[in-house]
Amino acid sequence: LADRTILHVDMDAFFAAVEQRDNPEYRGKPLIVGGTGRRGVVSTASYEARKFGVGSAMPTFKAKKACPHGIFIAPRMSAYVEASRQIMEVFSEHTPAVEPLSLDEAFLDMTGCERLFGTPPEMAESIRALIFERTALTASVGCAANKFVAKVASDMNKPDGVTVCTPGSERAFLAPLAIRRLWGVGPRAAAALQDFGVQTVGDITALSLPTLERRFGNFGRHVWELAHGRDDRSVQTERRRVSMGAERTLSNNITGVDAVRHRLLPLADEVTTGLRAKNLRAWGIRLKVKYADFTLTTRDMRVSSPICDAGSMLEAIDELLQRIELNVPIRLVGLAAFELSDDSQPQQASLFEAPSAKREGLESALDSLRSKFGSGTVVRGSWLGDEAAEKKHDWGPDD
Ligand SMILES: [Mg+2]
């Protein structure tokens, strides 16, 4: 692969920064934007609030304990969407290859744009200056030869900073970082790596690939590649898949919520396994039922935080099942995930509910188990520990 120039542009404390821009009385103060209800979580904390340990995805009640004098406000999405539109416009004035990740961040493929915008740091400055001119907001930018390293870099000099990793220096650039910074390394995988004597990204490159593969299978290769700063994923300008689904025509007609739910369990597993395999998450879930008379009905819902685990899918299914007629004979059931987003990095937390990160971690761990030992295998006493195996039994009889 020829050298590419990838920028990751990320607004600084975006929701909080918009509020501080629009409300001068919030400036210089610890401001926490997020869910204010009983199960609310912090969406964005201003840098003043971060000094007290308040961060995204923290339950609001905990944030109130950590920062009792903080200003807690509910999000004002329309203002953020408007600022986001202006930011995305700046991106598209620099390159057609823009992959938005959320309202306030995107990957830009700027390969071949040197004649127009100069060196990568000059590209970054051009983008940041135009964003500031139009929105009075600051952005941080990471420049590298691939998405993973650019994403890591944008976080290094926040707020209002530019970080460049020149091609060839990736390994040294990443070496001091904690392994959790590697894409796909959650708490459980980090613990397993730590048990193996790995603390930093540099510790991984000190090991041989066969050593890691023997211990961790495909996942071992994944972290080894990333630790060397290798990532071939391209900047995806549009969502390649519109939806991902699974359905079953039943050998005998069924009726009733329990029977339908039971048949949906393996489909939920199938669809979410597919999502994880493609590093996608779904904002929308669709339930499909075909009755014995061949009439087809669907019910859709949107989730507040995009999902890729069967447990969250099941919660959505339970809600959808209440909204559909199930007491007449049914010949086919189906599920689809739609409004898919790329899952190449941790998502911004839900504004309203605690994230399902832990559950997802378990299920990705189960994916690697399945690829290692075959589908249907539940391995006890593996490096994942027993909790993963038991969790699997919680929700579904099938595999
Ligand atoms: Mg941001």
Side-chain angles (χ1 to χ4, degrees):
L1 212 68
D3 271 348
R4 295 174 293 161
T5 304
I6 309 293
L7 270 56
H8 178 256
V9 185
D10 186 19
M11 301 301 292
D12 302 318
F14 183 53
F15 294 178
V18 172
E19 296 297 346
Q20 288 181 323
R21 178 193 68 182
D22 295 349
N23 303 278
E25 69 272 25
Y26 296 156
R27 288 179 200 163
K29 304 235 169 75
L31 178 71
I32 297 106
V33 183
T36 49
R38 197 171 50 87
R39 294 189 63 205
V41 297
V42 174
S43 181
T44 311
S46 71
Y47 286 94
E48 295 84 354
R50 292 179 194 197
K51 285 181 196 146
F52 297 90
V54 179
S56 298
M58 178 185 272
T60 300
F61 78 89
K62 274 193 185 167
K64 281 183 176 156
K65 267 184 206 155
C67 188
H69 60 298
I71 303 166
F72 289 79
I73 58 171
R76 204 162 45 98
M77 289 311 294
S78 57
Y80 315 146
V81 168
E82 173 55 17
S84 176
R85 193 191 56 73
Q86 293 173 300
I87 295 156
M88 297 296 160
E89 208 166 84
V90 171
F91 297 161
S92 64
E93 288 169 24
H94 282 79
T95 171
V98 178
E99 178 183 350
L101 300 169
S102 66
L103 285 179
D104 80 311
E105 59 177 308
F107 286 117
L108 279 63
D109 190 338
M110 298 282 291
T111 310
C113 299
E114 290 77 7
R115 286 173 80 180
L116 276 172
F117 298 107
T119 62
E122 287 165 346
M123 294 172 185
E125 286 308 340
S126 165
I127 290 165
R128 281 159 32 81
L130 203 53
I131 287 176
F132 191 79
E133 188 185 310
R134 296 197 188 158
T135 67
L137 298 168
T138 62
S140 295
V141 179
C143 311
N146 63 55
K147 284 162 74 166
F148 168 64
V149 180
K151 170 87 178 166
V152 168
S154 72
D155 203 39
M156 282 196 173
N157 283 303
K158 263 187 165 300
D160 203 14
V162 175
T163 307
V164 180
C165 175
T166 48
S169 66
E170 288 85 359
R171 203 174 139 174
F173 181 78
L174 298 170
L177 300 178
I179 43 175
R180 282 297 303 277
R181 298 291 292 279
L182 295 177
W183 164 56
V185 176
R188 188 160 286 266
L193 285 162
Q194 273 158 11
D195 287 347
F196 204 54
V198 170
Q199 301 287 339
T200 64
V201 175
D203 294 339
I204 292 175
T205 53
L207 296 169
S208 75
L209 178 58
T211 303
L212 278 161
E213 281 188 322
R214 258 198 308 279
R215 184 80 175 103
F216 299 108
N218 290 337
F219 179 74
R221 171 177 285 272
H222 169 79
V223 293
W224 191 82
E225 296 276 356
L226 287 182
H228 285 80
R230 294 178 199 155
D231 173 18
D232 285 346
R233 292 172 300 155
S234 61
V235 170
Q236 294 175 12
T237 51
E238 53 197 302
R239 291 168 189 181
R240 285 181 304 179
R241 277 172 175 275
V242 180
S243 69
M244 190 179 279
E247 59 182 48
R248 290 285 180 281
T249 300
L250 309 166
S251 44
N252 296 301
N253 291 343
I254 58 172
T255 52
V257 61
D258 291 342
V260 172
R261 189 175 190 274
H262 181 72
R263 302 312 291 257
L264 289 170
L265 295 178
L267 301 185
D269 201 14
E270 200 176 304
V271 171
T272 51
T273 302
L275 289 173
R276 292 192 298 274
K278 300 259 187 261
N279 292 308
L280 295 168
R281 282 172 194 251
W283 287 96
I285 311 298
R286 176 169 303 141
L287 173 63
K288 176 176 169 183
V289 164
K290 195 184 267 181
Y291 298 108
D293 66 359
F294 284 86
T295 55
L296 187 71
T297 304
T298 62
R299 291 287 184 275
D300 287 358
M301 69 173 285
R302 302 291 191 288
V303 289
S304 53
S305 174
I307 64 168
C308 64
D309 69 288
S312 301
M313 173 77 91
L314 199 56
E315 283 170 18
I317 290 168
D318 282 334
E319 202 171 315
L320 290 166
L321 285 172
Q322 294 171 18
R323 293 165 33 197
I324 197 163
E325 174 61 66
L326 300 170
N327 292 316
V328 292
I330 290 161
R331 70 185 316 274
L332 174 150
V333 294
L335 272 183
F338 61 98
E339 287 181 12
L340 306 180
S341 62
D342 186 3
D343 182 31
S344 52
Q345 56 287 306
Q347 299 285 314
Q348 189 152 28
S350 159
L351 299 177
F352 309 107
E353 279 182 312
S356 54
K358 189 174 177 217
R359 199 160 49 197
E360 283 163 12
L362 282 172
E363 294 195 19
S364 348
L366 283 162
D367 288 346
S368 49
L369 272 183
R370 283 178 189 145
S371 62
K372 208 169 163 188
F373 300 104
S375 160
T377 315
V378 176
V379 181
R380 290 189 158 272
S382 68
W383 63 273
L384 296 162
D386 286 349
E387 195 188 334
E390 281 159 16
K391 186 79 187 175
K392 177 60 190 164
H393 283 306
D394 280 347
W395 81 269
D398 306 310
D399 192 332

